[in-house]
């Protein structure tokens, strides 16, 4: 599916553009639950890899658990991002 390719390509700019389209009106309804969860999971993993930790934490607080439930991979990505940013003291607040 095309909307996941931006995450697979590690294109954060394109991922943000796709996200804007999904947020408009009821566009998210065009995706079944599995694809939507897959998108949010990949989008979050890309954020963990490409964005500053403050941006990652902002998205995490907005997305979880209202938009998606983080997978074990998402949690690992978040922990790695926190470690890379030397922010391990934040772990209790995201757990």
């Amino acid at each position: 599916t095309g909307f996941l390719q931006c995450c697979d390509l590690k294109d954060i700019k394109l991922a943000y553009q796709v996200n804007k389209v999904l947020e408009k009106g009821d566009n998210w309804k065009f995706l079944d639950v599995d694809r939507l969860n897959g998108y949010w999971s990949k989008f979050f993993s890309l954020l963990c890899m490409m964005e500053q930790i403050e941006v990652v934490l902002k998205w995490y607080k907005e997305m979880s658990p209202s938009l998606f439930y983080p997978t074990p991979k998402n949690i690992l990505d978040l922990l790695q991002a926190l470690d890379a940013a030397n922010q391990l003291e934040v772990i209790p607040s995201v757990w």
Side-chain angles (χ1 to χ4, degrees), residues 48-95:
C48 288
M49 187 183 336
M50 306 292 288
E51 283 288 7
Q52 297 293 323
I53 195 64
E54 296 81 17
V55 175
V56 172
L57 291 172
K58 176 185 166 283
W59 277 97
Y60 180 77
K61 289 175 185 173
E62 289 177 9
M63 293 169 61
S64 174
S66 60
L67 295 176
F68 89 116
Y69 290 101
T71 65
K73 182 185 180 326
N74 294 135
I75 298 299
L76 179 59
D77 291 339
L78 177 58
L79 292 173
Q80 288 174 336
L82 288 169
D83 186 31
N86 199 25
Q87 296 286 323
L88 294 178
E89 71 277 0
V90 177
I91 290 173
S93 69
V94 297
W95 208 255

Side-chain angles (χ1 to χ4, degrees), residues 38-52:
Y39 168 76
W40 285 119
S41 180
K42 286 188 174 219
F43 181 69
F44 184 73
S45 289
L46 182 62
L47 290 172
C48 288
M49 187 183 336
M50 306 292 288
E51 283 288 7
Q52 297 293 323

Side-chain angles (χ1 to χ4, degrees), residues 19-52:
N19 190 61
K20 278 188 176 184
V21 170
L22 283 177
E23 288 181 340
K24 289 220 185 259
D26 290 336
N27 285 350
W28 61 272
K29 290 182 179 179
F30 290 106
L31 300 176
D32 62 43
V33 173
D34 290 333
R35 287 186 185 191
L36 198 55
N37 285 335
Y39 168 76
W40 285 119
S41 180
K42 286 188 174 219
F43 181 69
F44 184 73
S45 289
L46 182 62
L47 290 172
C48 288
M49 187 183 336
M50 306 292 288
E51 283 288 7
Q52 297 293 323

